[in-house]
Amino acid sequence: MSYRDKLDKTGPRKLLACDGGGIRGIISIEVLARIESELRKSSGNPKLVLADYFDYVGGTSTGAIIATLIALGYSIDETRDFYLRSGAEMFHKARLWERFRTKFEDDKLSQMLRDVIGADTTLGSEKLRTLLMMVMRNATTDSPWPLSNNLKAKYNDAARADCNLQLPLWQLVRASTAAPTYFPPEVVRVGRDFIFVDGAVTMYNNPAFQLFLMATSEPYRLLWPTGEDKMLLISVGTGASANANNNLSPEEMNLLYNAGTIPSALMAAALHEQDFLCRIFGKCLAGDLLDREIDNVIGQGIPNVPKLFTYARYNIELSREGLDALGLEHINARHVQQIDSVDHVSEMQEVGRTLALQKVKAEHFSAFPPAS
């Protein structure tokens, strides 16, 4: 089965969204491993992969890598192996004279993506078993670009000279992961050359609500039916890394301080907003506290507005308090907060496995059973 077979199928739809977060994607992978295991048990199929269950998978940055491998039919064990084998290489330090521009080389990441995805695989390839969406930022036009292989989308018309479906898939994933200051931008020819950088520097580092809109709203032309019994949306984070500074003084907020903290603050706020929208418009089954005023919003919404989908969010606050709450007092918070902390992948794995064990429940999927 290819993604084309899922365009007009009947029955409930299942969506999966994967956040950005660099090597912290290994946290997401451990959560996804638990989901895959639970679905294998409930289906009775020990070889089930997430592409068999989900109809539409989306991701940003490292989430775009994970989403693409899922859409290609890779098991989570295979996806984990790719990260464990390639993580250090992905974040291989750039040559000293290049570091004024970027921290890491792009050559190794580009080659690894070509190898695992296929140099000739396009966004419209029949190899893809689910619909796929990924977010990047077009620096040339200064705008977010969420691209998908939805055949009904305006710029996926095969008659167009600039049809997105003809674009190399590995290059789009590379563009979505081109974190500014970490990797050089990616130039992609879409009718003409555009410069792309990491989708995490848009409103969609958490792409969950955008994925819902691309599956259901009129502008994207897919128009899948909504309702808490008609659509399941699962959102998987890479861990939230707050930069609280209780000892901050006004005098410290100089130009360098603002340049270093404002981008991450805006990204964190956008991630929070996507999650909040999903919890308000969806029937939320799982999700931790958002803030102390609104709590976790489970069981709440807008009066007299029906829920548009069923929703679960799996993520962790990577602060000392957040780790302690999961019983991970022995994990050094600094080791697992950085997106390039390749020396501490095993600790991130432990965080992900613990998060999955405590938060992912079989009943979250019971109303949307896999095919047996």
Side-chain angles (χ1 to χ4, degrees):
M1 175 181 285
S2 85
Y3 73 95
R4 295 170 185 259
D5 300 307
K6 295 191 174 184
L7 284 169
D8 298 307
K9 73 166 214 178
T10 59
R13 299 293 188 162
K14 285 96 90 179
L15 281 58
L16 172 66
C18 301
D19 286 14
I23 198 61
R24 293 200 327 244
I26 199 70
I27 295 174
S28 299
I29 285 170
E30 296 303 335
V31 173
L32 292 166
R34 176 78 176 181
I35 293 173
E36 189 177 74
S37 175
E38 291 296 333
L39 293 174
R40 286 177 174 180
K41 290 177 188 175
S42 61
S43 69
N45 177 6
K47 295 184 178 180
L48 178 146
V49 294
L50 294 184
D52 298 323
Y53 182 77
F54 289 102
D55 302 300
Y56 205 163
V57 182
T60 301
S61 193
T62 199
I65 299 176
I66 295 169
T68 298
L69 296 183
I70 289 172
L72 286 168
Y74 283 87
S75 70
I76 298 302
D77 281 347
E78 291 170 321
T79 303
R80 182 195 292 111
D81 287 345
F82 173 75
Y83 267 73
L84 295 179
R85 185 177 68 251
S86 308
E89 292 296 311
M90 284 189 211
F91 293 98
H92 187 84
K93 288 285 194 301
R95 290 175 286 273
L96 183 62
W97 59 86
E98 294 178 334
R99 291 186 198 171
F100 75 94
R101 194 164 65 93
T102 58
K103 189 174 182 180
F104 300 106
E105 292 182 350
D106 68 324
D107 312 87
K108 295 180 182 295
L109 176 58
S110 296
Q111 187 57 53
M112 285 185 292
L113 292 175
R114 281 192 291 266
D115 291 344
V116 73
I117 293 171
D120 299 324
T121 303
T122 63
L123 181 61
S125 173
E126 294 281 349
K127 294 180 184 178
L128 291 164
R129 293 171 54 181
T130 73
L131 273 81
L132 173 66
M133 182 272 276
M134 65 192 74
V135 181
M136 57 205 72
R137 177 176 173 266
N138 187 329
T140 304
T141 62
D142 195 22
S143 59
W145 272 39
L147 296 186
S148 80
N149 59 348
N150 168 19
L151 295 175
K152 301 179 182 182
K154 178 179 179 179
Y155 288 99
N156 288 348
D157 184 345
R160 297 183 64 99
D162 58 351
C163 175
N164 289 336
L165 296 179
Q166 302 305 317
L167 298 173
L169 182 56
W170 75 265
Q171 194 175 29
L172 297 178
V173 176
R174 166 67 183 80
S176 183
T177 62
T181 75
Y182 284 91
F183 294 107
E186 184 75 14
V187 178
V188 182
R189 188 163 190 80
V190 190
R192 67 182 181 92
D193 287 348
F194 290 100
I195 300 172
F196 289 96
V197 296
D198 194 345
V201 289
T202 69
M203 286 290 291
Y204 312 120
N205 188 42
N206 170 357
F209 198 70
Q210 177 65 17
L211 181 64
F212 164 72
L213 293 175
M214 292 179 73
T216 59
S217 64
E218 290 180 339
Y220 293 104
R221 305 178 181 180
L222 195 53
L223 303 177
W224 283 353
T226 62
E228 63 180 71
D229 60 338
K230 294 181 174 65
M231 180 168 285
L232 173 68
L233 173 56
I234 299 295
S235 176
V236 182
T238 60
S241 181
N243 294 309
N245 183 355
N246 294 326
N247 298 315
L248 180 67
S249 68
E251 291 75 22
E252 293 178 84
M253 298 185 67
N254 53 36
L255 183 62
L256 289 176
Y257 172 86
N258 288 323
T261 59
I262 287 177
S264 60
L266 293 175
M267 288 165 60
L271 184 147
H272 178 284
E273 183 71 3
Q274 287 273 307
D275 190 11
F276 182 45
L277 288 170
C278 287
R279 297 192 199 198
I280 289 295
F281 289 102
K283 176 186 176 183
C284 186
L285 303 180
D288 290 336
L289 177 138
L290 286 172
D291 66 44
R292 285 181 290 182
E293 178 175 10
I294 62 176
D295 200 73
N296 60 24
V297 198
I298 293 177
Q300 297 181 299
I302 300 174
N304 303 316
V305 175
K307 296 295 187 179
L308 299 175
F309 50 92
T310 294
Y311 174 69
R313 169 72 170 170
Y314 307 117
N315 202 23
I316 178 177
E317 176 63 54
L318 295 173
S319 62
R320 179 71 272 148
E321 295 77 13
L323 293 168
D324 290 349
L326 284 186
L328 295 169
E329 295 87 353
H330 59 288
I331 298 289
N332 186 323
R334 291 187 178 182
H335 289 176
V336 296
Q337 289 176 346
Q338 303 306 312
I339 68 169
D340 59 346
S341 191
V342 294
D343 293 333
H344 302 289
V345 167
S346 61
E347 292 171 76
M348 294 182 189
Q349 282 189 276
E350 184 177 357
V351 171
R353 286 193 295 265
T354 304
L355 170 65
L357 186 63
Q358 295 189 25
K359 303 296 183 180
V360 177
K361 306 297 181 184
E363 54 263 31
H364 298 165
F365 303 86
S366 60
F368 298 85
S372 54

